[in-house]
Amino acid sequence: MSAAPIGKFDAAWPAATRPDLVAAPVAAALAAWTGVEPVESVLAVDTDPDLADTGNFGQAYAVEPHQSANCVVVAAKRGETVTYAACMVLASTRADVNGLVRKHLGARKASFAPMDDAVTLTGMQYGGITPIGLPDTWPILVDAAVADAPWVVIGSGNRRGKLIVPGKVLAGLPGAAVLEALGV
């Protein structure tokens, strides 16, 4: 247990040691970790699930929007084929779904995935979806500003708890691609 590198939290732990704060797919990904940084660089903090949404969370825990990254699940369609992807953008921006994401994925149409689909396909709670532990076939698109951040707060797969990670951890996830101006 130690102090968190950003925000005001009672304590931070290596996420792999706190399976109670992460969704099952996240715990499995942490147990099988092959990231660019040691698994101990992925920290978990215990938070109020009623404050999981970005605005309320930031105010309660002194996390600025540029220190928090949102994971947006996108459904991209070309003909009958649907490709799901995750987009990581700073909370101070929004993902360029209809422009950059659509083009990068080679889709005719891209939109936010319906909430029920996102929850079912990820095994995570809405409001806590995170790129760690997503299905292996999903591209993870990371805004360059997220990749360059020393630390960002992201979901833990649950509404209770958050992860604090160096941006380079997200850029180094399997299937990750760093894109300039993904967040606008």
Side-chain angles (χ1 to χ4, degrees):
M1 183 165 73
S2 63
I6 58 175
K8 291 188 179 178
F9 304 98
D10 292 336
W13 302 267
T17 68
R18 292 299 307 263
D20 58 314
L21 296 178
V22 302
V26 178
L30 293 170
W33 188 257
T34 60
V36 295
E37 294 290 316
V39 69
E40 293 81 18
S41 66
V42 180
L43 303 175
V45 292
D46 194 0
T47 59
D48 183 339
D50 292 332
L51 299 173
D53 296 326
T54 305
N56 294 333
F57 174 82
Q59 286 183 328
Y61 296 100
V63 176
E64 297 295 324
H66 68 274
Q67 297 175 311
S68 184
N70 291 329
C71 184
V72 178
V73 176
V74 173
K77 297 178 184 177
R78 182 158 197 86
E80 297 300 314
T81 304
V82 177
T83 300
Y84 289 93
C87 299
M88 293 301 302
V89 296
L90 293 177
S92 57
T93 66
R94 60 180 176 75
D96 184 7
V97 173
N98 289 310
L100 186 58
V101 173
R102 181 184 58 78
K103 290 175 187 169
H104 182 81
L105 297 175
R108 191 173 259 314
K109 180 182 179 189
S111 59
F112 297 109
M115 179 175 55
D116 290 345
D117 291 353
V119 168
T120 300
L121 294 169
T122 64
M124 300 179 198
Q125 294 177 345
Y126 192 77
I129 294 175
T130 189
I132 298 172
L134 287 177
D136 293 340
T137 58
W138 286 24
I140 299 170
L141 309 180
V142 181
D143 185 77
V146 172
D148 291 340
W151 294 95
V152 289
V153 176
I154 62 173
S156 68
N158 294 327
R159 288 183 66 83
R160 177 184 173 211
K162 295 283 185 181
L163 301 178
I164 302 176
V165 299
K168 62 185 169 185
V169 164
L170 300 176
L173 290 172
V178 176
L179 302 177
E180 291 290 335
L182 174 60
V184 292

